[in-house]
């Protein structure tokens, strides 16, 4: 069950300044909410705490490299209503080899902790509030971020 | 009875690590433990030993190669990865899948689910030293691998699903052998129960071991049989039906009583036996309803051109929710294929489950969770 319109009105009502764009998601009727990175935590809390929709579960965090910008898609769902929602932020490194920073949502959706750490390692994203002590996937320093498009072994 | 912690002698903690290659482990991981005598005080898991750069490789090869390579996400349950990728790509390309192909896909997935669960039972039996039942379980699992071979020539990495259907039609005698297998498994499940499930030594050891609470399962994103064993009744086949599951009549077994032993090794084990029963039911219905017709749209067989777009698909693999985000820019290779494997929550929750247990229980708890290292490291 997807309820983009209800979410649209919720966001419009509570924090209209955060919205960069509502974009359709593929062929579905779903819409992706693009927000500025600085509003990520705030809007995440609103989405989780809204009593009507209660998006209490982060199903997936997918990162992709789109022409040098890193696009993070958060696939959210409610365990009570089974409705789902897509939240997106994009991060642009100053130089292609630089890492980028964004807020960690692990305090809101704890199941996202490992997903963030994987993305941190593979894409060079530092999640503020979710620091990686040891490597999860890459056994040695790959000198770069292997999942970015420009990575060369 | 004296509990494990009160038996400890006052000594310093010792550090111990096992792995990455060890018979007690489900795959190449390293477990770092602090021990107080034989009691595990704390544990950390190191992963990454099986990283193959799967998602990166998928971006470097054609769509057809992606379909083949995706088997290696979790070779034991290859059909699920094939299905989840097909669903996403078929949504992007608006590709029609003939009903016959949908039913064949359901049959292959349920056979895979039974095969994974049987292997799980064998691993769990081995971890507690119940060697007799292992031979019976593996003998019956071989029959499923024989069926895969009869269907597509491969026993393990099937490489059978295609965008728009499946690679080849069912071979002669396949449906009849599905019915035979269903009848056989009904008898065999009773045998497994007599030999192993209701064995008092196993029951007493496993009931209160590795207790996973509903709250822990939720916090770490645990799905599948391990979550259902604590009462979380989420199953993608019911909440987001795909490939014709909506037309089949089956139940989602859940556990999670209120007793002290709820959510332990034994409950996870029993739930899988109940899932096999349901899979047998699904298999029988699917085999009965299969209709003649096309198994693949030929225009998608060679050089499929996938338009630009994106999709997110999910299936219920034998281990839980398997998600797949696919992005296409209209080119010959995928722009991005990302997986959300079910084992990701299990590897997070595992160190908490073994804290306070004895070292000899480590393999039992690990086997009871059925973690696929292949899909975690991918």
């Amino acid at each position: 069950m997807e309820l983009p319109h209800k979410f649209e009105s919720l966001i419009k009502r509570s924090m209209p300044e955060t919205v960069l764009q509502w974009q359709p998601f593929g062929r579905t009727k779903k819409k992706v909410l693009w927000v500025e990175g600085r509003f990520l935590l705030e809007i995440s809390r609103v989405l989780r705490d809204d009593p009507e929709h209660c998006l209490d579960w982060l199903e997936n965090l997918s990162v992709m490299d789109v022409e040098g910008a890193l696009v993070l898609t958060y696939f959210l769902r409610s365990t009570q209503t089974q409705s789902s929602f897509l939240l997106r932020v994009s991060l642009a490194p100053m130089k292609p080899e630089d890492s980028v920073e964004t807020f960690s949502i692990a305090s809101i959706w704890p199941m996202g902790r490992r997903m963030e750490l994987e993305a941190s390692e593979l894409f060079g994203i530092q999640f503020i509030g979710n620091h990686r002590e040891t490597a999860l996937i890459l056994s040695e320093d790959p000198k770069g971020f292997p999942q970015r498009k420009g990575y060369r072994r | 009875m004296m509990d494990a912690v009160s038996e400890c002698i006052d000594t310093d903690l010792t550090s111990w690590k096992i792995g990455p290659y060890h018979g007690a482990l489900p795959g190449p991981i390293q477990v770092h433990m602090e021990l107080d005598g034989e009691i595990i005080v704390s544990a950390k898991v190191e992963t990454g030993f099986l990283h193959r750069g799967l998602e990166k490789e998928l971006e470097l090869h054609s769509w057809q190669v992606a379909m083949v390579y995706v088997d290696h996400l979790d070779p034991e349950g290859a059909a699920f990865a094939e299905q989840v990728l097909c669903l996403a790509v078929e949504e992007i390309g608006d590709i029609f899948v003939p009903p016959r192909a949908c039913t064949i896909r359901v049959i292959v997935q349920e056979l895979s689910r039974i095969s994974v669960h049987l292997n799980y039972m064998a691993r769990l039996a081995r971890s507690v030293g119940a060697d007799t039942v292992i031979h019976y379980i593996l003998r019956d699992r071989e029959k499923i691998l024989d069926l895969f071979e009869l269907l597509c020539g491969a026993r393990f990495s099937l490489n059978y699903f295609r965008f728009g259907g499946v690679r080849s039609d069912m071979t002669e005698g396949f449906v009849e052998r599905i019915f035979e297998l269903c009848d056989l498994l009904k008898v065999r499940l009773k045998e497994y129960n007599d030999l192993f499930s209701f064995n008092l030594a196993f029951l007493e050891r496993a009931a209160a071991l590795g207790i996973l609470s509903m709250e822990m399962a939720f916090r770490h994103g645990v799905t599948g049989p391990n979550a259902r064993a604590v009462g979380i009744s989420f199953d993608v086949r019911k909440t987001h039906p795909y490939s014709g599951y909506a037309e089949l009549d089956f139940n989602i077994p859940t556990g999670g009583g209120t007793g002290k032993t709820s959510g332990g090794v034994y409950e996870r084990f029993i739930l899988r036996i109940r899932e096999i029963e349901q899979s047998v039911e699904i298999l029988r219905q699917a085999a009965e309803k299969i209709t003649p017709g096309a198994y693949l749209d030929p225009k998608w067989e060679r050089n499929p051109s996938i338009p630009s777009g994106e999709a997110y698909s999910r299936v219920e693999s034998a281990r839980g929710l398997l998600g797949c985000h696919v992005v296409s820019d209209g080119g010959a290779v995928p722009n991005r294929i990302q997986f959300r494997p079910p084992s990701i929550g299990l590897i997070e929750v595992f160190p908490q489950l073994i804290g306070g247990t004895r070292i000899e229980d480590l393999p039992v708890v690990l086997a009871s969770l059925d973690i696929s290292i292949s899909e975690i490291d991918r």
Side-chain angles (χ1 to χ4, degrees):
Chain A
M1 192 177 16
E2 321 298 342
L3 301 163
H5 303 301
K6 288 194 177 178
F7 284 115
E8 257 182 273
S9 60
L10 168 72
I11 303 294
K12 239 179 225 170
R13 204 171 54 236
S14 50
M15 39 198 329
E17 72 284 2
T18 61
V19 179
L20 283 178
Q21 196 185 358
W22 286 95
Q23 193 191 41
F25 183 77
R27 288 179 178 275
T28 64
K29 288 177 185 162
K30 281 182 260 183
K31 281 186 177 176
V32 187
L33 170 62
W34 282 78
V35 294
E36 277 188 51
R38 63 196 168 109
F39 294 122
L40 180 65
L41 277 183
E42 221 175 321
I43 203 152
S44 298
R45 274 195 206 99
V46 169
L47 291 169
R48 183 197 59 182
D49 297 338
D50 173 57
E52 195 181 347
H53 306 306
C54 185
L55 292 164
D56 53 356
W57 211 68
L58 176 68
E59 182 176 324
N60 190 15
L61 165 60
S62 172
V63 185
M64 56 184 166
D65 181 342
V66 183
E67 294 169 356
L70 300 176
V71 178
L72 286 73
T73 311
Y74 297 85
F75 295 83
L76 308 172
R77 67 182 305 114
S78 165
T79 54
Q80 290 164 30
T81 64
Q82 299 302 335
S83 59
S84 58
F85 189 75
L86 296 150
L87 184 65
R88 201 164 254 182
V89 294
S90 63
L91 309 163
M94 299 289 275
K95 285 185 277 179
E97 65 275 15
D98 284 355
S99 59
V100 285
E101 262 190 0
T102 188
F103 294 108
S104 164
I105 47 73
S107 60
I108 298 167
W109 295 297
M111 59 293 286
R113 197 191 80 89
R114 191 178 172 97
M115 298 174 194
E116 284 186 342
L117 295 181
E118 283 183 2
S120 165
E121 218 167 311
L122 296 171
F123 284 94
I125 303 168
Q126 303 304 319
F127 289 93
I128 302 163
N130 186 11
H131 180 64
R132 176 164 52 94
E133 286 169 17
T134 53
L136 289 184
I137 292 176
L138 306 171
S139 52
E140 54 192 55
D141 182 10
K143 295 190 172 55
F145 308 113
Q147 203 67 50
R148 289 195 187 176
K149 291 288 180 194
Y151 178 78
R152 293 286 175 269
R153 267 180 273 203
Chain B
M1 193 171 69
M2 198 180 278
D3 70 17
V5 176
S6 62
E7 269 185 69
C8 295
I9 305 165
D10 188 16
T11 55
D12 287 340
L13 298 181
T14 52
S15 298
W16 202 52
K17 60 182 177 184
I18 60 169
Y21 301 103
H22 191 282
L25 304 174
I29 53 171
Q30 197 163 55
V31 184
H32 301 248
M33 289 173 287
E34 291 279 305
L35 298 173
D36 186 351
E38 288 185 6
I39 308 298
I40 301 167
V41 176
S42 64
K44 280 184 183 171
V45 182
E46 193 181 332
T47 54
F49 300 99
L50 200 57
H51 178 57
R52 291 141 293 160
L54 179 82
E55 290 179 3
K56 185 75 177 177
E57 284 297 326
L58 295 177
E59 293 173 15
L60 302 176
H61 295 95
S62 67
W63 289 98
Q64 296 101 309
V65 173
M67 198 62 244
V68 178
Y69 198 35
V70 80
D71 276 356
H72 299 282
L73 177 68
D74 173 20
E76 213 187 339
F80 303 110
E82 293 186 17
Q83 172 74 81
V84 79
L85 180 62
C86 279
L87 285 177
V89 173
E90 284 157 4
E91 187 180 314
I92 295 173
D94 197 18
I95 300 170
F96 172 74
V97 184
R100 183 176 177 83
C102 287
T103 312
I104 296 174
R105 284 179 177 184
V106 167
I107 290 172
V108 174
Q109 284 175 87
E110 292 311 315
L111 285 172
S112 296
R113 193 179 316 280
I114 297 170
S115 164
V116 172
H117 284 354
L118 289 179
N119 207 17
Y120 166 92
M121 290 166 69
R123 276 199 301 266
L124 190 61
R126 188 179 295 125
S127 74
V128 294
D131 286 349
T132 312
V133 75
I134 297 170
H135 304 290
Y136 292 104
I137 293 170
L138 293 181
R139 173 196 61 186
D140 297 333
R141 182 170 170 267
E142 280 296 304
K143 293 193 183 343
I144 297 176
L145 303 187
D146 289 345
L147 276 173
F148 287 147
E149 193 175 356
L150 178 66
L151 181 69
C152 63
R155 297 172 69 81
F156 221 59
S157 296
L158 303 180
N159 177 19
Y160 181 58
F161 291 23
R162 291 289 180 270
F163 307 133
V166 291
R167 176 161 52 90
S168 56
D169 201 0
M170 287 192 300
T171 44
E172 209 180 313
F174 183 76
V175 173
E176 290 75 12
R177 287 184 66 178
I178 291 285
F179 288 125
E180 281 172 21
L181 181 80
C182 291
D183 293 339
L184 179 81
L185 281 173
K186 273 205 154 175
V187 178
R188 292 289 196 241
L189 285 176
K190 190 185 173 307
E191 283 179 18
Y192 304 153
N193 286 337
D194 292 343
L195 261 172
F196 185 51
S197 315
F198 304 145
N199 178 315
L200 197 63
F202 170 59
L203 206 157
E204 282 185 350
R205 183 174 176 193
L209 188 63
I211 301 280
L212 174 70
S213 69
M214 191 189 266
E215 194 271 334
M216 276 162 85
F218 176 79
R219 271 184 70 81
H220 294 285
V222 175
T223 58
N226 294 320
R228 288 192 284 276
V230 296
I232 299 173
S233 64
F234 177 77
D235 188 309
V236 185
R237 292 173 296 173
K238 285 284 186 192
T239 53
H240 303 277
Y242 52 93
S243 201
Y245 273 109
E247 294 150 30
L248 300 167
D249 181 23
F250 62 100
N251 298 320
I252 302 300
T254 50
T258 51
K260 273 198 294 189
T261 58
S262 170
V265 167
Y266 192 72
E267 198 149 12
R268 290 194 280 278
F269 168 76
I270 286 294
L271 192 106
R272 281 168 169 91
I273 291 199
R274 293 169 65 198
E275 287 208 347
I276 293 176
E277 286 171 356
Q278 288 304 310
S279 291
V280 168
E281 190 52 43
I282 295 171
L283 270 180
R284 197 187 296 279
Q285 287 178 38
E288 276 167 3
K289 81 185 266 285
I290 196 149
T291 50
Y295 59 87
L296 176 68
D297 187 342
K299 80 172 178 180
W300 293 103
E301 199 168 3
R302 290 181 190 278
N303 302 320
S305 155
I306 309 300
S308 66
E310 65 178 317
Y312 179 70
S313 60
R314 43 174 94 79
V315 301
E316 186 67 32
S317 84
R319 296 186 171 88
L321 189 157
L322 173 62
C324 181
H325 182 208
V326 177
V327 183
S328 167
D329 57 8
V333 299
N335 188 274
R336 176 85 172 111
I337 296 180
Q338 183 264 345
F339 293 101
R340 184 262 182 230
S343 294
I344 196 168
L346 299 174
I347 201 78
E348 285 282 284
V349 85
F350 155 69
Q352 296 175 41
L353 297 192
I354 58 166
T357 62
R358 286 177 176 278
I359 191 114
E360 73 251 24
D361 290 329
L362 170 74
V364 185
V365 176
L366 262 173
S368 78
L369 290 170
D370 199 18
I371 303 173
S372 166
I373 304 305
S374 176
E375 61 183 26
I376 288 171
D377 284 349
R378 57 194 189 280

